[in-house]
Amino acid sequence: MVFSPAMILIGLTGGVATGKSTVALMFRRLGAMVIDADRLARQVVTPGTPAWRKIRKAFGTGILNPDGTVDRCALGAVVFRDRAKRRMLENIVHPFVAREQRRLTKAATTRNPKVVVIYDVPLLFETGIDRRVDYTIVVTAAQSTQLMRLRQRNGLNRADALRRIQSQMPLDRKARRANWILDGSDSPQQLHTAVRALYKSLKRLA
């Protein structure tokens, strides 16, 4: 999905708690335009929006907060235990997210035709979004690192943390499909050095 002859769209993904958000922040600080699919997903389900109405109809009012906003923890508890319901949620939200991503990418390209756009998408390969980008980056980490981070960051028990990890495509499969791989287990200094070198390469491609 290239909006100008020079601009490139990079799909950034990884497993849960591999360090993908840290990598995205590093790219942003280096000058890339970063579009966060999770942030867009929160925006498109604000109360009263078409996606919000569809979610309320599909999952009931039990997944809403008192103010009408989607209770992400309650909804996550439902969809991470049921693959069919998770797919149902994805089918509701993803078209609205894709529309907003295209709008933001087009706007960024208008401002700077040679911009490097990083599209940060947890389910890049699972949802086929990799077919809409020019290149892909996968951030990996050992499963033990993912479990530790999820338990510390999200307060999950081991079973729930493992369920979150297993709800996504295995990291080794993602890595085989990637154009570039970054190790999210590296020290911040090592990771920043790798990201900086990769960004220089991407700028040459743009």
Side-chain angles (χ1 to χ4, degrees), residues 140-152:
T140 64
Q143 188 177 97
S144 58
T145 299
Q146 292 177 274
L147 286 169
M148 177 189 69
R149 290 174 176 173
L150 279 172
R151 299 184 71 175
Q152 291 177 349

Side-chain angles (χ1 to χ4, degrees), residues 18-91:
T18 58
K20 178 176 60 62
S21 296
T22 298
V23 168
L25 179 59
M26 290 178 178
F27 274 119
R28 188 189 304 275
R29 288 175 173 171
L30 287 167
M33 163 70 171
V34 177
I35 301 175
D36 185 338
D38 274 346
R39 180 174 297 176
L40 295 185
R42 289 191 291 271
Q43 292 175 358
V44 302
V45 300
T46 53
T49 59
W52 177 86
R53 289 195 293 269
K54 289 183 178 183
I55 289 172
R56 183 182 61 178
K57 182 177 180 180
F59 296 96
T61 57
I63 53 84
L64 298 179
N65 291 308
D67 63 357
T69 57
V70 174
D71 183 334
R72 291 171 63 85
C73 290
L75 184 57
V78 173
V79 301
F80 281 112
R81 293 176 180 271
D82 188 318
R83 182 174 297 179
K85 290 182 179 179
R86 187 167 69 248
R87 184 58 58 85
M88 184 189 305
L89 178 64
E90 292 168 358
N91 288 339

Side-chain angles (χ1 to χ4, degrees), residues 117-191:
V117 179
I118 304 290
Y119 190 25
D120 179 357
V121 191
L123 301 178
L124 181 79
F125 295 112
E126 292 91 331
T127 56
I129 295 174
D130 60 302
R131 295 191 294 271
R132 293 173 21 217
V133 301
D134 299 306
Y135 301 98
T136 58
I137 301 169
V138 170
V139 183
T140 64
Q143 188 177 97
S144 58
T145 299
Q146 292 177 274
L147 286 169
M148 177 189 69
R149 290 174 176 173
L150 279 172
R151 299 184 71 175
Q152 291 177 349
R153 185 185 71 190
N154 298 69
L156 300 178
N157 60 40
R158 190 180 189 282
D160 284 342
L162 192 59
R163 192 175 292 114
R164 291 287 178 99
I165 294 170
Q166 293 175 341
S167 72
Q168 298 181 346
M169 181 185 294
L171 275 174
D172 59 343
R173 286 179 58 194
K174 292 185 179 185
R176 287 197 296 270
R177 297 173 65 173
N179 294 106
W180 294 280
I181 300 169
L182 294 169
D183 189 347
S185 301
D186 282 345
S187 69
Q189 294 81 8
Q190 290 173 312
L191 188 57

